[in-house]
Amino acid sequence: MSSLGLVAPVLWWLVAELLLWESFMQRAGASLHTCPGVCICASDLLSCVSRSLSLVPPGLPMTATSLDLSHNSLLQLQDNWLARLPRLHTLRIGHNRVSHISAGAFQNASRLTHLDLSSNRLHSVEKHFFQELTNLEELLLYNNQIARVDTSALVRLSSVQKVYLSWNLLTDFPFTALEEGSLPQLKIMDISSNRLSSIPVDKVIALPQTVKNGLYLHNNPFMCDCTLYSMFLHWEKSGFNSVHDFREEHTCLALRQPRASLRFLKHRKMFENCTSAAQGLIGMADASFKGAVGEPLLIGCNTSLQDEQTTYLWISPNKELIAHSSSINQTFKLHSNGSLEIRKAQKEDSGIYICMATNKRLMRNESREINVTVHHGKYEGEGFNTGLTTLLGCVVSLVLVLMYLFLTPCRCWCRPPRNPTPPNECSAQSSILSATPPCNDDASRKASSGKHVVFLEPVKDCQNGKIRLAVSEEFSDSKSPKILQLKSDSGSISSVFSDTPIMH
């Protein structure tokens, strides 16, 4: 009996534990799969659109990977409000009234890849907003009231590819946050339709080519400036999407007048007098070097980091890394000042070279893009030699024409012949601008009085095979003769013009 008395309490304890565990699992299951009444749930998708919500509804299912709270009246994002959504990767809060984001609002949202905060009432982008979003790929902040972006606001977004900041109130932007290596995955940075009146062109042109290709700056009230115009013109020639896609929307204010907005990429007459100094500044980032096949070519890396502690790396057009450790390469040699030497340039060495300078002491890095073209023969003299050859060819042609017109090989034809030409013989001299038939025995070829004969074609019996002369059949009675046609055989030409006046 004593043993049964000991077993009974144990059984009751096990039953109680099972009941508690069942209750816990039921509550956990409810939190996993229940859906708030104001939302629509479909598997792992949760939509609470246009429900006039001023607060985030409680009881959001933990299985949600996509949450849409757009078109509501949310005012702020509190700390840890996403703690119960560990799988969330897409969050849409567009078209709300959010003006404040707490420091820990995204503390438990490290998996988030898409964040839409467009069409809200944010006044700035602070440093603490997105520090936890290391996997974020797309950030939408357009159509807010943002007037300032903190320099470090985007520094932790190492995976971000697209950032949209258009239609805000920005008068300045930290372009240093876009430097080489800061945002390695960045493809689009849209700062269009803001209030930028100027930008630091020297810093912008030093940005990587991939960033400039997606750096949208159109529809800003820029003051018309030669340097700015030259930069955008260069981007247009380079085929950058940031200019090509919105070419008509690139405007500037002529004479600093707000109403004098000019489409400077379409109407370029105002910039015809821009000095070469602006072009030289643009050339800092995109220089060009030309060399000859088989000769050495030295390419400079023109950066502002001219320091002994600066290290240099080059990337060839074939995407090959060129560093000091690879200077033993038979094709390239990297000098200590950052210059790259192509020992024996070949045509296949042509292309875009990228130079990257890094200074750890200054904690800065810069990159330059250099266009290299290798020609056959020395490039420097090519234009001169081609022009000289063309000029000499023209002079020789002119001399030959003058010789043909004014130098007669034999002038004996202008004197009366001492011995008449035999009836069956005829030389080329008898076909030189003569009004009489070339042979005495051809009565059918007499020139009629109604024709002004310039060239007479010799008869077949005495033709010398050198030249044939045509006769105009429709001359009028005017005194000026007409030259109709000059027919030549394949043989050499022995007939020339004469200074003797034409008889008719």
Side-chain angles (χ1 to χ4, degrees), residues 83-296:
R84 298 182 59 84
L85 301 175
R87 302 180 184 179
L88 195 66
H89 62 71
T90 300
L91 177 60
R92 297 181 175 91
I93 321 178
H95 294 275
N96 277 274
R97 302 177 183 178
V98 177
S99 60
H100 177 72
I101 299 177
S102 300
F106 300 107
Q107 189 172 1
N108 303 100
S110 59
R111 293 189 179 184
L112 205 62
T113 59
H114 178 93
L115 176 59
D116 183 1
L117 283 167
S118 63
S119 300
N120 275 281
R121 298 181 180 181
L122 294 173
H123 296 279
S124 63
V125 181
E126 300 297 337
K127 178 181 178 180
H128 66 269
F129 279 7
F130 313 117
Q131 282 192 344
E132 306 296 331
L133 303 180
T134 55
N135 291 314
L136 191 66
E137 297 178 359
E138 192 171 26
L139 176 60
L140 280 64
L141 294 169
Y142 62 85
N143 195 28
N144 274 272
Q145 301 172 14
I146 300 173
R148 185 181 64 87
V149 176
D150 191 273
T151 306
S152 304
L154 307 176
V155 70
R156 297 292 300 274
L157 302 180
S158 57
S159 301
V160 72
Q161 298 179 12
K162 301 176 182 179
V163 179
Y164 298 91
L165 278 161
S166 58
W167 295 102
N168 278 289
L169 307 176
L170 292 173
T171 58
D172 190 15
F173 184 81
F175 289 97
T176 54
L178 309 180
E179 290 180 348
E180 186 78 33
S182 301
L183 301 174
Q185 306 297 327
L186 186 64
K187 296 179 180 178
I188 292 179
M189 174 60 72
D190 188 356
I191 323 175
S192 63
S193 303
N194 275 276
R195 298 184 178 181
L196 300 173
S197 60
S198 63
I199 58 174
V201 177
D202 56 336
K203 294 180 180 179
V204 174
I205 62 177
L207 297 176
Q209 184 176 7
T210 54
V211 174
K212 292 186 290 187
N213 182 63
L215 182 58
Y216 291 88
L217 296 168
H218 59 276
N219 199 26
N220 274 287
F222 292 123
M223 299 299 175
C224 292
D225 177 77
C226 282
T227 305
L228 183 70
Y229 166 75
S230 300
M231 184 190 75
F232 282 120
L233 181 63
H234 179 74
W235 288 13
E236 182 187 33
K237 292 180 179 179
S238 300
F240 288 166
N241 293 333
S242 54
V243 176
H244 182 268
D245 294 346
F246 296 92
R247 185 174 180 272
E248 297 290 331
E249 283 74 21
H250 280 80
T251 60
C252 66
L253 302 182
L255 305 177
R256 299 182 178 272
Q257 296 297 322
R259 295 184 179 181
S261 182
L262 176 68
R263 290 189 176 95
F264 55 82
L265 290 179
K266 184 177 181 180
H267 306 286
R268 304 180 178 179
K269 291 185 178 181
M270 182 176 178
F271 300 93
E272 291 179 350
N273 297 326
C274 283
T275 62
S276 58
Q279 299 288 350
L281 180 60
I282 303 305
M284 288 176 59
D286 300 282
S288 60
F289 287 83
K290 299 179 176 64
V293 172
E295 295 189 359

Side-chain angles (χ1 to χ4, degrees), residues 188-456:
I188 292 179
M189 174 60 72
D190 188 356
I191 323 175
S192 63
S193 303
N194 275 276
R195 298 184 178 181
L196 300 173
S197 60
S198 63
I199 58 174
V201 177
D202 56 336
K203 294 180 180 179
V204 174
I205 62 177
L207 297 176
Q209 184 176 7
T210 54
V211 174
K212 292 186 290 187
N213 182 63
L215 182 58
Y216 291 88
L217 296 168
H218 59 276
N219 199 26
N220 274 287
F222 292 123
M223 299 299 175
C224 292
D225 177 77
C226 282
T227 305
L228 183 70
Y229 166 75
S230 300
M231 184 190 75
F232 282 120
L233 181 63
H234 179 74
W235 288 13
E236 182 187 33
K237 292 180 179 179
S238 300
F240 288 166
N241 293 333
S242 54
V243 176
H244 182 268
D245 294 346
F246 296 92
R247 185 174 180 272
E248 297 290 331
E249 283 74 21
H250 280 80
T251 60
C252 66
L253 302 182
L255 305 177
R256 299 182 178 272
Q257 296 297 322
R259 295 184 179 181
S261 182
L262 176 68
R263 290 189 176 95
F264 55 82
L265 290 179
K266 184 177 181 180
H267 306 286
R268 304 180 178 179
K269 291 185 178 181
M270 182 176 178
F271 300 93
E272 291 179 350
N273 297 326
C274 283
T275 62
S276 58
Q279 299 288 350
L281 180 60
I282 303 305
M284 288 176 59
D286 300 282
S288 60
F289 287 83
K290 299 179 176 64
V293 172
E295 295 189 359
L297 177 61
L298 188 64
I299 309 170
C301 184
N302 186 15
T303 68
S304 61
L305 301 178
Q306 302 297 329
D307 190 272
E308 294 181 356
Q309 298 184 13
T310 301
T311 58
Y312 298 90
L313 295 175
W314 285 78
I315 299 177
S316 70
N318 296 326
K319 308 301 180 184
E320 298 175 345
L321 182 64
I322 306 171
H324 282 287
S325 58
S326 59
S327 59
I328 57 176
N329 191 299
Q330 297 297 323
T331 304
F332 304 104
K333 180 181 179 181
L334 183 57
H335 296 271
S336 58
N337 62 351
S339 299
L340 179 66
E341 179 182 356
I342 306 177
R343 288 170 174 165
K344 290 185 179 180
Q346 302 296 326
K347 285 191 67 66
E348 53 267 24
D349 295 328
S350 300
I352 301 295
Y353 288 76
I354 300 177
C355 171
M356 296 181 290
T358 304
N359 193 304
K360 294 183 179 181
R361 182 178 64 86
L362 301 176
M363 300 182 65
R364 289 182 55 195
N365 55 65
E366 294 182 8
S367 65
R368 294 289 183 269
E369 299 167 8
I370 295 92
N371 185 15
V372 174
T373 306
V374 181
H375 297 266
H376 285 291
K378 292 185 177 180
Y379 179 82
E380 295 179 355
E382 182 178 352
F384 175 75
N385 292 338
T386 303
L388 180 60
T389 303
T390 305
L391 180 60
L392 290 177
C394 294
V395 171
V396 171
S397 300
L398 181 61
V399 170
L400 291 176
V401 170
L402 293 176
M403 290 177 62
Y404 179 82
L405 291 176
F406 297 106
L407 297 182
T408 305
C410 177
R411 296 183 179 275
C412 59
W413 58 270
C414 59
R415 302 190 187 91
R418 295 180 181 179
N419 297 323
T421 304
N424 293 330
E425 295 181 5
C426 183
S427 65
Q429 299 164 354
S430 63
S431 63
I432 306 298
L433 295 178
S434 174
T436 59
C439 298
N440 297 330
D441 58 346
D442 190 6
S444 64
R445 291 181 52 82
K446 292 182 180 180
S448 63
S449 59
K451 297 180 181 180
H452 295 272
V453 182
V454 179
F455 297 108
L456 292 178

Side-chain angles (χ1 to χ4, degrees), residues 46-64:
L46 182 58
S47 175
C48 309
V49 179
S50 300
R51 298 297 182 179
S52 301
L53 300 175
S54 58
L55 296 174
V56 178
L60 299 177
M62 298 177 61
T63 57

